[in-house]
Amino acid sequence: MFPAPTSTVETVDSVMLYIVAISVILLLGITVTMIYFVFKYNRKKGHEPQDIHGSILLETIWIAVPTVLVLSMFYFGYEGFKEMRMDSKDAFVIQVKAKMWAWDFRYDNGKNLDTLYVPVGRPIKLELQSLDVNHSLYIPAFRIKQDVIAGGKINTLFFTPELVGSYDIACAEFCGLNHSMMYTKVVVLSKDDFASWYEAKKDSSEVQNAGIVQ
Amino acid sequence: MANGAAAVAEKTFYEEGTSSRKGILGWLLSTDHKRIGLLYLGAVGSFFIVGVILGILMRLELIAPGKTIMEPQTYNAVFTLHGVIMIFLFIIPGIPAVFGNFFLPLQLGAKDVAFPRLNLLSWYIYIIGAILVLISLVLPGGPLDTGWTFYIPYSVRTGANVSLAIFAAFVLGFSSILTGLNFITTVHRMRAPGMGFFKMPLFVWATYATAWIQVIATPIIGITILLVILERVFGVGIFDPALGGDPILYQHLFWIYSHPAVYIMILPAMGVVSEIIPTFARRTIFGYKAIAISSLAIAFVGYLVWAHHMFVSGLSDTSAMIFSLLTFIVALPSGVKIFNWVATMYKGSIDPKPPFIWVMVFIFLFSIGGLTGLVLGSLATDVHLHDTYFVVAHFHYVMFGGTGTIFFAALFYWYPKMFGKMYSIKWANIAAALFFVAFNALYFPKFIMGYMGMPRRYYDYLPEFADLQLISTIGSWLMGITMIIIFWNLIHALLKGPKSKENPWGGVTLEWHTSSPPPLENFHVIPTVTHEPYDFSQLKEMKNYESD
């Protein structure tokens, strides 16, 4: 597998693969059986139709087997979700404020900008708040999102970036006119780069570029 | 049993109405369930065409990144209207109000529904609701731009005309509730002698289960809408945080109705499938009780899964876990239905005429819709896919590929019964094949875009999505052509088509025991039911069936 930007990516992709694999088998099974029956029992062949009213055994099988399958899907989905929701005591906390149609990231030392900078390898916790209507912070490359709700409610989003780089942040909850333009970036910096960026009084364009170009 | 041969000289319901008035008033004041069904068909069909045109305009805007034909504000209004019209004016009333009205009494062996006047009133309420939607478009403030979900606080802050538009949804709700009430009473009180609950056709079962959801769930959206209006007009803080309200409460109340509402949309379609497959396989349905009870199970468990629309809204992790589990459980009865349908083809004598072909298309598309629902029910994947094109693709496969496909299947199945005319079989088959290609071109790319991270309700998009967006737009043109072929075929048949046989498919449920089109009170003699609903041995005794 390719190295993934966070460990969540592999988890989500493998749950996806598991469900899709079972689904494709079921879909093909249903479709092929149906088409086979239409040819095999075609009226042109002149079979006498047989009234078969049902079968307790078959009903039991096609309730029991799917039950086991969906419960396994539920289980893997829930395990993956727990992993995403894992809070960490030494998480690096960043306050996020969303408004129509921009993002604002605020760090403990007062740094405040519209692009999210994070250090690689450290658990990150975003505390999300909206200043007007509902938004949703979505990082497709990390397979995570969390709604940003208007009012006092603070939602949290956790991730641990594992690859230096720059990734899209989108707004996923419809928020009006420029909803589709509410993009920004999350820039994952190496620990040293992040430390020097974090300590610098003004944003060093060098570091920013290092992050974006990767 | 009534027989077709004696019916030839009788007047059809087109020739004899419930009132002495002639012409258009004879229709607008008719309490005949069949005329009311056709009134709904006209209204619902017209709104469907409007919805399709709006959809094609949206796809045209999205053919390439950046502006193509409209401004973002227009686009936001167009996708909102597409949703509102398709959901509230087409797909919720669609099958129950059109085919339920027309065929529920016929299949039960009744003269009409239990409350014929209430039935006509329901149609008028529907029309009033629809007119209110149209008025809200032209009033100052401009058309609704909130999405069909009207999420607060955006719907409070927007300058668009929200109050009137949601009031229209409130009014439409009453049409739905009253129709449901009417159908429940009809099923309980109006069954022909000998027709026990487990001798009812499965379309009746499905419509019955749907009617309960309509009656129990719809008041919740009604109350929610009243609260929103109260808040907007009098400044009472309920949902709007600026007034001390809770926007998440709105989402809960909205989905407590709107999730069961998706079963209002799909259950009647499932009922139609259970009618069409036995007729064209000419054998009894496999697992009658399993299919009947699974409708009730879907109706019941369907109430308990609403918060799966809210997994990333800040729901507690425990709630998310419980709602995810329940969501997987509600998938099971739908699976039971699909397995029983396919089993009904086993050892049948299958004549794949257009209604059956459309059902095959349905089984494929609806299975994809259902299975991708599992992806969304699973928590880890839903967090990524929520509010992306994946969801858009999923519900179009379920709603359009499911209910929409069956709306056409039902039209092709019952058309000779409703109009006494026959359409072109060849063109109905061509339309089914084209529909299949167009549908997958239009919606399958959205699954891929969704997984790549394309959020929904976007006026503009990143360049990496351009190719798939283009394919989807081309699919929408093919879909437009398919719709023209379907409507042209059906309208042409109405005007110039050949007279249909009384019972062209060899159906045996009660609607096929009377003439086509049926007389005013459906049956010359109220039938006594001695057979199971799908007992094709009766076909030999039925004089109106000529085998070909």
Side-chain angles (χ1 to χ4, degrees), chain B residues 358-393:
Chain B
W358 278 87
V359 163
M360 289 174 71
V361 172
F362 160 86
I363 289 183
F364 182 79
L365 298 179
F366 180 73
S367 296
I368 293 180
L371 292 164
T372 51
L374 299 175
V375 174
L376 294 168
S378 152
L379 284 167
T381 36
D382 182 74
V383 169
H384 173 42
L385 297 170
H386 177 83
D387 266 331
T388 66
Y389 268 33
F390 195 93
V391 176
V392 178

Side-chain angles (χ1 to χ4, degrees), chain A residues 9 11-13 15-16 19-20 22-24 26-27 30-31 33-35 37-38 41-44 47-55 58-59 62-63 66-67 70-71 73-74 76-78 80-81 84-85 100-101 131-134 136 138-141 143-153 155 168 170-183, chain B residues 72-73 76 79 145-147 151-154 157 241 247-248 251 279-288 290 312-314 317 320-321 324-325 328-329 332 336 338-340 342-343 345-352 356 360 363-364 367-368 371 374-375 378-388 390 450-453 455-460 462 464 532 535-536:
Chain A
V9 173
T11 313
V12 173
D13 288 356
V15 174
M16 179 74 183
I19 300 177
V20 168
I22 292 175
S23 299
V24 167
L26 284 171
L27 178 70
I30 290 164
T31 312
T33 312
M34 174 172 74
I35 292 173
F37 284 171
V38 172
Y41 301 111
N42 202 289
R43 194 166 298 168
K44 281 183 191 146
H47 295 290
E48 230 1 76
Q50 284 183 32
D51 277 342
I52 302 163
H53 285 85
S55 149
L58 277 176
E59 299 289 347
W62 61 49
I63 291 173
T67 303
V70 297
L71 287 180
M73 292 174 189
F74 160 75
F76 291 127
Y78 179 55
F81 180 68
M84 285 177 196
R85 303 294 305 160
M100 294 153 113
W101 296 274
L131 301 177
D132 40 41
V133 302
N134 295 344
S136 189
Y138 179 28
I139 311 176
R143 313 282 189 268
I144 51 170
K145 76 163 64 66
Q146 183 72 43
D147 285 359
V148 187
I149 300 294
K153 187 178 172 68
N155 280 340
D168 289 321
C171 177
E173 182 67 64
F174 179 68
C175 59
L177 193 67
N178 291 328
H179 170 53
S180 66
M181 327 283 175
M182 207 171 146
Y183 270 105
Chain B
Q73 184 62 30
N76 292 347
F79 81 68
D145 67 340
T146 61
Y151 269 17
I152 283 176
Y154 182 73
R157 287 182 56 118
I248 295 294
Q251 295 187 15
T279 298
F280 292 90
R282 195 154 292 178
R283 49 151 287 181
T284 193
I285 190 101
F286 191 95
Y288 174 90
V312 296
S313 70
D317 295 351
M321 187 259 283
S324 168
L325 182 61
F328 278 108
I329 300 299
L332 297 171
V336 166
I338 290 183
F339 296 133
N340 279 296
V342 174
M345 299 175 191
Y346 177 68
K347 293 200 171 171
S349 168
I350 299 174
D351 184 15
F356 189 87
M360 289 174 71
I363 289 183
F364 182 79
S367 296
I368 293 180
L371 292 164
L374 299 175
V375 174
S378 152
L379 284 167
T381 36
D382 182 74
V383 169
H384 173 42
L385 297 170
H386 177 83
D387 266 331
T388 66
F390 195 93
Y451 205 79
M452 286 164 71
R456 64 192 285 208
R457 295 171 170 174
Y458 263 33
Y459 166 75
D460 200 1
L462 301 176
E464 65 236 47
E532 292 170 359
D535 177 359
F536 286 84

Side-chain angles (χ1 to χ4, degrees), chain B residues 292-355:
Chain B
I293 290 166
S294 65
S295 289
L296 296 183
I298 290 174
F300 177 71
V301 186
Y303 282 109
L304 308 175
V305 300
W306 78 87
H308 67 212
H309 297 268
M310 302 167 58
F311 283 154
V312 296
S313 70
L315 210 61
S316 82
D317 295 351
T318 313
S319 307
M321 187 259 283
I322 292 166
F323 279 104
S324 168
L325 182 61
L326 288 166
T327 301
F328 278 108
I329 300 299
V330 82
L332 297 171
S334 297
V336 166
K337 280 179 193 283
I338 290 183
F339 296 133
N340 279 296
W341 288 330
V342 174
T344 302
M345 299 175 191
Y346 177 68
K347 293 200 171 171
S349 168
I350 299 174
D351 184 15
K353 286 271 165 39

